[in-house]
Amino acid sequence: MGKNLRIAIVGSGAIGSYYGAKLAYGGSDVHFLMRGDLTELRSNGLSVRGQGENFRVANANCYNSTSEIGASDLVLIAVKATSNADLVDLIPPLLHKRTMLLTLQNGLGNEEFLAGHFGTERVLGGLCFICLRRTSRTEVERYDYGHIVIGEYERAPQLRTREVAAEFTRGGVQCSVVENLALERWRKLVWNIPFNGLSILAGGIDTAAILRDADLRQTTLGLMEEVIEAANKCGYSLERSAASLQIKRTEAIDAYKPSTLLDWEAGRPLEIEPIWGEPLRRATAVGASVPRLEIVYALLKSLGEAGHRNKSATNIANRLS
Amino acid sequence: MGKNLRIAIVGSGAIGSYYGAKLAYGGSDVHFLMRGDLTELRSNGLSVRGQGENFRVANANCYNSTSEIGASDLVLIAVKATSNADLVDLIPPLLHKRTMLLTLQNGLGNEEFLAGHFGTERVLGGLCFICLRRTSRTEVERYDYGHIVIGEYERAPQLRTREVAAEFTRGGVQCSVVENLALERWRKLVWNIPFNGLSILAGGIDTAAILRDADLRQTTLGLMEEVIEAANKCGYSLERSAASLQIKRTEAIDAYKPSTLLDWEAGRPLEIEPIWGEPLRRATAVGASVPRLEIVYALLKSLGEAGHRNKSATNIANRLS
């Protein structure tokens, strides 16, 4: 292994399209699973626009099934966690003995899911620090950041971890390797739990609007402190200062709609379990007090269900607003 | 005073229309402030439908201004608290030296508002335990309950308190007098704070749907416990069992949409300050821990503002759902 990794991208939303396009444009051997009509992709290619970058992968390798892609060395998994059940059938055709599965999904529980189905030793996890929006089937726009952080599931970094990072670096993606992936997942949740949740619950507002409102800002901080407390009770030494640091960083970027709000506005299913449900269950299991997380989870779950009931109505409302 | 109280009804939504109609039908001397076109009311009268009652007040005394009503002995105040500022001009024409002001509004702060503008000794408060819906400008439907509880603002009941209660009783409204009005306001908030709030935040669902969902039910209980704790820290001995008792009672009634949800669906302003804001401020002032109340308040306030921005969109969504 090492050079010429054969890379499969499973899940071609904003995240899968962006990182897959970066790798392909950088010369990696990338193969996209793109279910549905491929005509447009084959004629237009896959475009990326963003701060200081503007490129097109003219001849992206697109497929309708993972059997057509076949055995690969590295699988980037970027489907919504709500579609994880599909992976049980999608992944096997991609596997050889040492295929690595790198989940770029949000929240907690995705590595465990992959480990349970395909073996612990295959699994790596990555956290994407990026503000993206898929603007069409063939174009992704990047608003800010872009770097990713990867690590091994339940073990320290291996030689292969550095090789995967090097592959990203060659593609122009800043990629660092972390000792403790789970700690980093909790650290990212310090941001996602308040901002992704409140942006929906407070009526469809962006990060700047949340921080402008004194009460929502206080609520954001309260949620962040709960997450830090829960992480620490779970055994991860996440520093208290993470809360104020992340608020400061969020103020430094432009007003931004978190991915879950974009999902909500588009009527797509919400990743409620990995971002709120699983952290809540882990917090509760170790006796952490997380009343704000509890209520945010309960409300989002109910809204998600109501959203399915009223999907057509919501979409009309969003188009008008 | 005593017999033949001249009664003015200020605010003719569901509450004002129902209790005014009951009193008028029972023979009281009732005068309704009904701003807007009175033609329909004058031709149709005011109708009440409900469990075991179905009557019409054919000749309701309706007025477009309180000057036309003139000095009254008792003023029932049933405007939305969001319109309290209007009362500063509406009330004075109704006052003689001993005019009583009985606010039937929800939550905390309304007695204080009236006392501040018109004198402490005029003020009484009432709590309406009733499930109502105004079905047209001239008809109100009662789904359940109907009794009211009244008391004096910041003092024990007086002779006049019993006289007002007797007036309601003559009109067929079960009315009891309480020693401590503020305690009863907190007790009612144990219900309103969770149910009115969650019904909106969880996506427009009724009381039965809230209690059917295990997580929302837990959240309801958590909010109730916070309110009880806050009331006790404020010096009101509200028993802990109020939470489970109110949940049990709510399960005994039909699925019900709280008044704030009806306001939300109709695009009307929400009574956020008396139901959530003022209790939160009082709880915080005495050092009670109310994280759930904090987040519910912050979210509703933001939603209320977003609601104003997207009013047309929301109404369309509601009509479709």
Side-chain angles (χ1 to χ4, degrees):
Chain A
M1 232 165 44
K3 289 167 198 73
N4 298 322
L5 287 180
R6 181 176 172 84
I7 302 173
I9 312 284
V10 175
S12 300
I15 291 281
S17 299
Y18 178 78
Y19 289 109
K22 289 289 280 185
L23 290 168
Y25 195 69
S28 293
D29 181 21
V30 181
H31 304 266
F32 295 88
L33 173 67
M34 297 263 189
R35 287 179 287 182
D37 186 8
L38 301 180
T39 322
E40 205 187 342
L41 265 159
R42 284 180 173 149
S43 63
N44 295 358
L46 191 56
S47 301
V48 169
R49 290 194 300 139
Q51 298 178 318
E53 66 183 349
N54 199 334
F55 65 87
R56 190 164 73 94
V57 179
N59 300 302
N61 304 310
C62 301
Y63 307 83
N64 262 310
S65 76
T66 49
S67 317
E68 295 169 60
I69 300 177
S72 305
D73 303 308
L74 172 65
V75 181
L76 296 197
I77 295 166
V79 298
K80 290 273 161 205
T82 48
S83 302
N84 273 356
D86 296 353
L87 298 175
V88 179
D89 292 328
L90 290 175
I91 297 291
L94 301 171
L95 299 179
H96 59 56
K97 208 173 160 192
R98 293 191 300 174
T99 301
M100 297 177 277
L101 303 177
L102 170 60
T103 163
L104 297 178
Q105 298 163 294
N106 272 320
L108 302 183
N110 296 305
E111 283 94 4
E112 287 77 357
F113 177 86
L114 294 173
H117 283 88
F118 309 110
T120 302
E121 70 291 342
R122 292 189 184 279
V123 181
L124 298 87
L127 295 91
C128 307
F129 295 88
I130 192 162
C131 302
L132 277 182
R133 187 163 194 160
R134 200 180 175 200
T135 43
S136 77
R137 267 183 69 79
T138 61
E139 188 182 79
V140 180
E141 188 168 352
R142 183 176 62 86
Y143 295 100
D144 218 325
Y145 294 120
H147 64 287
I148 73 175
V149 159
I150 66 172
E152 291 282 333
Y153 173 57
E154 293 204 331
R155 61 177 174 177
Q158 310 290 307
L159 179 58
R160 71 176 192 180
T161 331
R162 313 274 170 202
E163 287 173 347
V164 170
E167 192 83 17
F168 278 108
T169 306
R170 266 197 301 278
V173 174
Q174 194 192 319
C175 180
S176 52
V177 170
V178 289
E179 285 299 311
N180 189 335
L181 177 64
L183 166 61
E184 299 311 315
R185 288 235 174 264
W186 276 100
R187 191 192 305 281
K188 189 158 193 286
L189 286 171
V190 171
W191 196 93
N192 287 128
I193 283 178
F195 284 110
N196 291 39
L198 299 178
S199 67
I200 295 176
L201 294 174
I205 64 178
D206 60 36
T207 51
I210 290 173
L211 292 177
R212 229 176 7 243
D213 178 306
D215 295 294
L216 288 175
R217 188 191 181 94
Q218 191 54 39
T219 293
T220 300
L221 202 61
L223 274 162
M224 286 180 163
E225 284 163 2
E226 286 185 7
V227 178
I228 293 170
E229 169 74 13
N232 278 281
K233 285 219 167 162
C234 285
Y236 305 104
S237 49
L238 183 45
E239 62 289 352
R240 304 275 150 192
S241 58
S244 54
L245 182 71
Q246 294 204 15
I247 285 187
K248 209 187 292 176
R249 280 193 188 148
T250 307
E251 287 178 321
I253 61 170
D254 283 341
Y256 178 62
K257 289 188 171 188
S259 60
T260 322
L261 176 57
L262 298 179
D263 288 341
W264 171 247
E265 290 183 344
R268 292 188 291 259
L270 308 180
E271 292 183 305
I272 293 174
E273 293 310 321
I275 303 182
W276 297 276
E278 187 61 22
L280 173 59
R281 286 185 287 274
R282 295 195 193 179
T284 307
V286 296
S289 166
V290 287
R292 294 173 185 84
L293 174 54
E294 242 177 73
I295 194 167
V296 166
Y297 172 65
L299 291 175
L300 286 171
K301 205 154 53 79
S302 176
L303 264 193
E305 288 156 13
H308 282 291
R309 286 198 306 274
N310 302 326
K311 192 168 279 186
S312 56
T314 306
N315 283 343
I316 286 171
N318 284 323
R319 276 200 293 276
L320 289 171
S321 66
Chain B
M1 231 164 47
K3 287 164 200 80
N4 300 322
L5 287 181
R6 181 176 172 82
I7 303 173
I9 313 284
V10 175
S12 300
I15 291 282
S17 299
Y18 177 79
Y19 288 110
K22 289 290 279 185
L23 289 168
Y25 195 68
S28 294
D29 181 21
V30 180
H31 304 265
F32 295 87
L33 172 68
M34 296 264 190
R35 287 179 285 182
D37 185 8
L38 302 179
T39 323
E40 205 188 342
L41 265 159
R42 284 181 173 147
S43 62
N44 296 357
L46 191 55
S47 301
V48 169
R49 289 194 301 139
Q51 298 178 320
E53 67 183 348
N54 200 334
F55 66 87
R56 190 165 72 94
V57 179
N59 300 302
N61 304 310
C62 301
Y63 307 83
N64 262 312
S65 76
T66 49
S67 316
E68 295 169 59
I69 299 177
S72 305
D73 303 308
L74 173 65
V75 181
L76 296 197
I77 294 164
V79 298
K80 289 276 162 205
T82 47
S83 302
N84 274 356
D86 296 352
L87 297 174
V88 179
D89 292 327
L90 289 175
I91 297 291
L94 302 171
L95 298 179
H96 59 56
K97 207 173 161 194
R98 294 191 299 173
T99 300
M100 297 177 278
L101 303 177
L102 170 59
T103 163
L104 297 178
Q105 298 163 296
N106 272 321
L108 302 183
N110 296 305
E111 283 94 3
E112 287 77 357
F113 177 86
L114 294 173
H117 283 88
F118 309 109
T120 302
E121 70 291 343
R122 291 190 186 279
V123 182
L124 297 88
L127 295 92
C128 307
F129 294 89
I130 192 161
C131 302
L132 277 181
R133 187 163 193 159
R134 199 178 176 200
T135 44
S136 78
R137 267 184 69 79
T138 62
E139 188 182 78
V140 180
E141 188 168 352
R142 182 176 62 85
Y143 294 99
D144 218 326
Y145 295 121
H147 64 286
I148 73 175
V149 160
I150 66 172
E152 291 282 334
Y153 173 57
E154 292 203 332
R155 60 177 174 177
Q158 310 290 306
L159 180 57
R160 71 177 192 179
T161 331
R162 312 274 170 202
E163 288 172 346
V164 171
E167 192 82 15
F168 277 107
T169 306
R170 266 198 300 279
V173 174
Q174 195 192 317
C175 180
S176 52
V177 170
V178 289
E179 286 298 311
N180 189 334
L181 178 64
L183 166 61
E184 299 310 316
R185 288 234 173 263
W186 277 101
R187 190 192 305 282
K188 190 159 192 285
L189 286 170
V190 172
W191 197 93
N192 286 127
I193 283 178
F195 284 109
N196 291 39
L198 299 178
S199 67
I200 294 176
L201 295 174
I205 63 177
D206 60 36
T207 51
I210 290 172
L211 292 176
R212 229 178 5 246
D213 178 306
D215 294 296
L216 288 176
R217 188 192 180 94
Q218 191 55 39
T219 293
T220 301
L221 203 61
L223 274 163
M224 287 180 163
E225 283 163 1
E226 286 185 6
V227 179
I228 293 170
E229 170 74 14
N232 277 280
K233 286 220 166 160
C234 286
Y236 305 104
S237 49
L238 182 45
E239 63 287 352
R240 304 274 151 193
S241 58
S244 55
L245 182 70
Q246 294 203 15
I247 286 187
K248 210 187 290 174
R249 280 193 188 149
T250 308
E251 287 178 320
I253 60 169
D254 284 343
Y256 178 64
K257 289 189 172 187
S259 59
T260 323
L261 176 56
L262 298 179
D263 288 341
W264 171 246
E265 291 183 343
R268 291 188 292 259
L270 307 179
E271 293 184 304
I272 293 174
E273 293 310 322
I275 304 181
W276 297 276
E278 187 60 22
L280 173 59
R281 286 186 286 274
R282 296 194 193 178
T284 307
V286 296
S289 165
V290 288
R292 293 172 185 85
L293 173 54
E294 242 177 73
I295 194 168
V296 166
Y297 172 65
L299 291 174
L300 286 171
K301 205 155 53 80
S302 174
L303 264 193
E305 288 156 15
H308 282 291
R309 286 198 305 274
N310 302 325
K311 194 168 279 188
S312 56
T314 307
N315 283 343
I316 286 170
N318 285 323
R319 276 200 292 278
L320 289 171
S321 67

